[in-house]
Amino acid sequence: MRSRYKPWAIEYLKNNFKNQFSIGENEDFSSIEEYVLNRPTYLEIGPGKGQFILNLAKRYPEFNFLVIELDKSIAGTTLKKIDEAEIDNVKLIAGNFYDLAKGLKKSKFCGIFLNFSDPWPKKRHEKRRLTSPNFLIEYAKLLKEEGYIYFKTDNGDFYQYSYEEFNKFKRDIIYLNENYDCSNQDFDAETEFENRYKLQGIAIKRVILKKTKDTLLELPK
Ligand SMILES: C[S@@+](CC[C@H](N)C(=O)[O-])C[C@H]1O[C@@H](n2cnc3c(N)ncnc32)[C@H](O)[C@@H]1O
């Protein structure tokens, strides 16, 4: 997502830690592990400005939610919204999912949300796609037994690519809808991108996958 550089958001990120964890070099991950182990926890990678996760967190106070956002201006904007919501079950990390995955030793998530992830259409950028093999391996390690991946996209090619990759890693597809109309019910909520695409009449594709005992934990040979 292209975003405007917002100095106030970067400044906000530097100064506010009530709902923020850091994962810089030599950082101790124990407070993150504690948060994740404290309640059943869901992870969202690339939350954008946080509309989705705040909606879910308010409706499900019995769960914890953790979001990781690469773009610092977006992360600062989202953190401010989380702070203003005055809830205790959403925490944010400004950084790359890979650095979080590398540092976590004990945490296991009930589910991982991938909402309208950047499709990175060029082949040379495949490794950046959040459904490429290296990411799928990390998700398998971080999910509880029978943990879920919740995937939504507007992009047909990215959907096709992701569907094929999901299959290679042997997960059970428990829900698939190529014309999904989110009504902010069940365990879902509309995202900012989803609002935009729906207004343009673009079909939303949604898949939910469950980890099984056969799900690969290493790259297929
Ligand atoms: C296209 S936006 C979608 C935002 C939001 N989920 C929505 O649906 O409105 C994708 C977001 O994922 C973030 N992102 C991409 N790769 C990431 C990574 N490896 N770790 C953390 N965030 C990432 C981007 O910075 C961007 O804000």
Side-chain angles (χ1 to χ4, degrees), residues 191-206:
T191 79
E192 287 92 349
F193 271 61
E194 191 165 3
N195 288 149
R196 201 182 302 170
Y197 293 129
K198 267 175 82 171
L199 287 173
Q200 293 171 19
I202 299 172
I204 307 299
K205 279 66 77 179
R206 184 182 194 217

Side-chain angles (χ1 to χ4, degrees), residues 123 126 129 131-134 136-137 140 149 159-173 207 209-210 212-221:
K123 182 74 188 157
E126 182 185 349
R129 295 178 199 155
T131 53
S132 63
N134 287 324
L136 292 182
I137 287 296
I149 294 176
Y159 166 69
Q160 198 56 42
Y161 169 85
S162 303
Y163 179 82
E164 283 162 22
E165 293 304 317
F166 290 144
N167 275 332
K168 283 185 201 158
F169 286 83
K170 301 194 181 5
R171 289 181 163 91
D172 281 355
I173 293 180
V207 188
L209 303 120
K210 187 159 101 174
T212 71
K213 60 179 175 28
D214 297 325
T215 298
L216 302 191
L217 295 168
E218 284 175 21
L219 291 173
K221 302 233 163 67

Side-chain angles (χ1 to χ4, degrees), residues 116-132:
F116 300 87
S117 310
D118 304 289
W120 293 109
K122 291 189 178 137
K123 182 74 188 157
R124 69 172 191 275
H125 291 146
E126 182 185 349
K127 283 196 171 153
R128 296 185 196 174
R129 295 178 199 155
L130 293 185
T131 53
S132 63

Side-chain angles (χ1 to χ4, degrees), residues 42-48 50 52-53 65-69 111-115 191:
Y42 290 82
L43 174 70
E44 186 186 14
I45 308 171
F52 167 86
I53 213 71
F65 297 89
L66 180 65
V67 297
I68 179 151
E69 173 54 59
I112 296 177
F113 292 104
L114 305 173
N115 290 322
T191 79

